[in-house]
Amino acid sequence: MASKIECVLRQALTTFSGSYTSKTFHDNLVKLKRIANELDARSVALDVRLLRWDTFELNNSLDQLSGSTFIRRHQAPVTYIEVFEDQNVSIGVFVLRDGAKIPLHDHPYMYGVLKVIYGKVKIQSYTPKQKDYSQLNDCNISAIKLAPIIVGETDDPCVLCPVEGNIHQVDTIDGPAAFVDILAPPYKTDIPEVGKRCCRYFKEVNISKDITLAIVSDPKDYWSDTAPYTGPQFSICLESKT
């Protein structure tokens, strides 16, 4: 019997391996969302130790006076676990430690399904008014700011569309969090007549009915490390990664 994560992979490949405009695609996307809703931390064998900032206790004469002191190691606020990737779809797990966030960023002409498997996150999304990414290389973006949502383990997956809500920020709420992220096509694949599909970061530069987002360099307070995937292995599609 296929594991839950393999069922998600099978459906993701079915959904994103053909045209994105047919009725069949939209039916498959609904099915993918339903199957992804079955995921939890056990489905991907999430190591709960990754949710914590690494700490160790100092034991010296000063500590005896002031009590135990814990020193935080220099550790990335976010860990990424790659589950699967080919030319059509990528599946991974983002682990956000307490207080961490994934800064405001975009997903050029991409679909996404986000399922929280631990904790809660707040998602603040924006819909760009410009639809042509070939015109957005170094300019500000006029956007519509959507109402923020808080999503936890018992909530349905969120669906990211190529335009609607395509730019978003993810913040932890009341502790660490983890979510499975399904993206199609993956970053670094080609956008026809535009080039590589790259992630860009933004900041909100004015508050009004018409929001302006400015493209910024990679945020200095955000970086990530990686951890190996140790969950159920797949009996299908391994050849597509070679």
Side-chain angles (χ1 to χ4, degrees):
M1 181 177 178
S3 64
K4 290 180 179 180
I5 189 64
E6 181 169 331
C7 290
V8 168
L9 172 58
R10 287 176 179 270
Q11 185 58 40
L13 291 168
T14 297
T15 302
F16 297 116
S17 294
S19 169
Y20 288 10
T21 59
S22 67
K23 182 181 185 301
T24 300
F25 165 75
H26 292 286
D27 291 343
N28 279 324
L29 185 60
V30 171
K31 186 175 181 180
L32 175 60
K33 182 179 177 182
R34 184 174 69 249
I35 295 173
N37 196 39
E38 298 297 318
L39 294 174
D40 55 22
R42 288 182 294 181
S43 303
V44 294
L46 179 66
D47 185 344
V48 295
R49 293 174 297 181
L50 292 173
L51 295 158
R52 302 192 300 268
W53 293 98
D54 277 347
T55 58
F56 60 93
E57 186 174 0
L58 289 177
N59 290 307
N60 54 35
S61 58
L62 181 60
D63 281 340
Q64 303 306 314
L65 297 175
S66 60
S68 297
T69 300
F70 286 86
I71 302 298
R72 180 176 295 175
R73 292 177 181 171
H74 185 69
Q75 183 183 47
V78 174
T79 293
Y80 181 71
I81 303 168
E82 180 182 306
V83 177
F84 178 89
E85 183 169 336
D86 69 2
Q87 70 277 13
N88 294 313
V89 64
S90 66
I91 301 177
V93 180
F94 281 92
V95 181
L96 284 68
R97 295 175 184 89
D98 188 14
K101 68 179 180 181
I102 300 179
L104 194 60
H105 64 286
D106 67 347
H107 312 76
Y109 296 138
M110 296 160 71
Y111 276 92
V113 177
L114 183 158
K115 171 57 182 175
V116 175
I117 59 173
Y118 188 96
K120 292 186 295 184
V121 297
K122 182 179 77 171
I123 303 175
Q124 176 62 68
S125 300
Y126 299 76
T127 296
K129 290 187 176 181
Q130 296 98 320
K131 306 300 189 287
D132 186 356
Y133 268 87
S134 65
Q135 305 298 317
L136 301 181
N137 291 330
D138 297 302
C139 62
N140 293 342
I141 294 177
S142 180
I144 299 170
K145 187 174 186 178
L146 307 180
I149 59 173
I150 294 177
V151 187
E153 301 167 46
T154 60
D155 294 308
D156 290 345
C158 300
V159 176
L160 172 88
C161 296
V163 176
E164 180 70 25
N166 188 268
I167 301 172
H168 70 206
Q169 177 169 308
V170 182
D171 292 82
T172 55
I173 297 290
D174 300 329
F179 60 86
V180 174
D181 199 43
I182 306 166
L183 291 175
Y187 284 114
K188 298 184 179 179
T189 57
D190 283 334
I191 303 173
E193 302 180 3
V194 176
K196 292 295 182 184
R197 207 178 300 269
C198 297
C199 177
R200 297 171 303 177
Y201 294 98
F202 300 85
K203 68 176 180 179
E204 192 174 298
V205 294
N206 69 300
I207 310 296
S208 65
K209 183 178 180 180
D210 292 327
I211 301 296
T212 298
L213 302 179
I215 298 173
V216 297
S217 58
D218 294 358
K220 294 181 179 179
D221 60 349
Y222 170 74
W223 70 101
S224 63
D225 57 17
T226 61
Y229 172 65
T230 59
Q233 299 302 301
F234 311 123
S235 60
I236 58 167
C237 305
L238 297 181
E239 67 277 3
S240 63
K241 286 179 67 74
T242 60

